[in-house]
């Protein structure tokens, strides 16, 4: 469903390690239209998970996705990129328009 590059996986695990034992899952949420999607990646604790959330294996960590975002994230790839103007997570939808990706940073 949702794929993480090796670099993205390493960075998520590093952020989780920095948070201690409190934040042990990554919530991925998608808003906006198919033409202009926006993504939010947030580290969450057990108390922030909802019964209706889907839990996925991120390859060393749990990914939590709300049902509304799940269908839209199907086939997407999460990457971590370093650019001249900054670094951060990038979510590339399976059907990205013109190859556009949206940037998101964990909050």
């Amino acid at each position: 469903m949702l794929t993480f590059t090796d670099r993205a996986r390493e960075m998520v695990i590093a952020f989780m390690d920095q948070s201690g034992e409190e934040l042990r899952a990554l919530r991925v949420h998608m808003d906006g239209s198919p033409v202009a999607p926006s993504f939010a990646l947030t580290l969450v604790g057990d108390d922030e998970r909802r019964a209706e959330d889907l839990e996925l294996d991120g390859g060393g960590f749990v990914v939590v996705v709300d049902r509304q975002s799940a269908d839209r994230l199907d086939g997407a790839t999460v990457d971590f990129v370093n650019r001249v103007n900054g670094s951060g997570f990038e979510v590339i939808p399976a059907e990205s328009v013109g190859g556009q990706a949206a940037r998101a940073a964990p909050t």
Side-chain angles (χ1 to χ4, degrees), residues 29-34 36-40 68-69 72:
H29 177 75
M30 181 176 177
D31 272 329
S33 72
S38 65
F39 301 89
Q68 183 177 355
S69 297
R72 297 178 72 192

Side-chain angles (χ1 to χ4, degrees), residues 7-8 11 17 23 25-26 28 30 41 47 50 55 57 64-65 67 73 78 80 85 90 93 98 101 104-105 107:
R7 181 69 177 141
M11 293 306 295
D17 288 345
L23 306 176
L26 177 70
V28 181
M30 181 176 177
L41 280 69
D47 60 334
R50 300 179 200 119
E55 292 191 5
D57 179 10
V64 180
V65 180
R67 293 193 183 275
L73 288 166
V78 179
F80 189 87
N85 59 344
E90 199 170 66
T107 54

Side-chain angles (χ1 to χ4, degrees), residues 42-96:
T42 309
L43 295 178
V44 296
D46 290 337
D47 60 334
E48 297 173 89
R49 296 184 194 184
R50 300 179 200 119
E52 63 273 10
D53 285 337
L54 298 175
E55 292 191 5
L56 311 169
D57 179 10
F61 56 92
V62 174
V63 179
V64 180
V65 180
D66 62 270
R67 293 193 183 275
Q68 183 177 355
S69 297
D71 290 338
R72 297 178 72 192
L73 288 166
D74 190 28
T77 300
V78 179
D79 195 9
F80 189 87
V81 296
N82 290 305
R83 296 205 171 96
V84 174
N85 59 344
S87 60
F89 289 95
E90 199 170 66
V91 181
I92 304 149
E95 297 179 17
S96 59

